[in-house]
Amino acid sequence: MGVVYRASNVLGPGTTVALKVIREELSGDEKQRERFINEGKIIDALDHPNIVKVLDRGEHNRRLYIAMEYIDG
């Protein structure tokens, strides 16, 4: 459903995040967009030391994304 990238300087200088972006071929499918949005909301609502924290969610050029804390390893 998505592709995850290691990204830097997204939320500020020196910040490294895991950036999940909906695949381009799914960005026009409303059902897949809804699933991706719900995934972000669910992860955002969870609070546990073994689950990454969501730092930002949004859309840029019809491509949905979820920016999460990056954990090395």
Side-chain angles (χ1 to χ4, degrees), residues 18-36:
L19 186 65
K20 184 172 185 177
V21 182
I22 193 168
R23 290 193 341 235
E24 188 171 0
E25 63 269 19
L26 300 178
S27 63
D29 182 331
E30 287 305 316
K31 183 176 179 180
Q32 295 301 320
R33 290 175 60 81
E34 185 177 323
R35 287 182 62 200
F36 194 91

Side-chain angles (χ1 to χ4, degrees), residues 9-51:
N9 292 328
V10 175
L11 298 173
T15 304
T16 300
V17 298
L19 186 65
K20 184 172 185 177
V21 182
I22 193 168
R23 290 193 341 235
E24 188 171 0
E25 63 269 19
L26 300 178
S27 63
D29 182 331
E30 287 305 316
K31 183 176 179 180
Q32 295 301 320
R33 290 175 60 81
E34 185 177 323
R35 287 182 62 200
F36 194 91
I37 290 168
N38 285 338
E39 177 184 339
K41 288 178 182 178
I42 289 167
I43 297 169
D44 200 11
L46 298 173
D47 184 21
H48 189 276
N50 295 333
I51 299 174

Side-chain angles (χ1 to χ4, degrees), residues 34-71:
E34 185 177 323
R35 287 182 62 200
F36 194 91
I37 290 168
N38 285 338
E39 177 184 339
K41 288 178 182 178
I42 289 167
I43 297 169
D44 200 11
L46 298 173
D47 184 21
H48 189 276
N50 295 333
I51 299 174
V52 296
K53 291 176 180 41
V54 172
L55 305 172
D56 190 26
R57 292 184 283 124
E59 181 175 358
H60 179 72
N61 293 335
R62 294 273 308 155
R63 298 286 298 276
L64 297 168
Y65 67 86
I66 305 168
M68 299 169 279
E69 67 178 326
Y70 174 78
I71 300 174

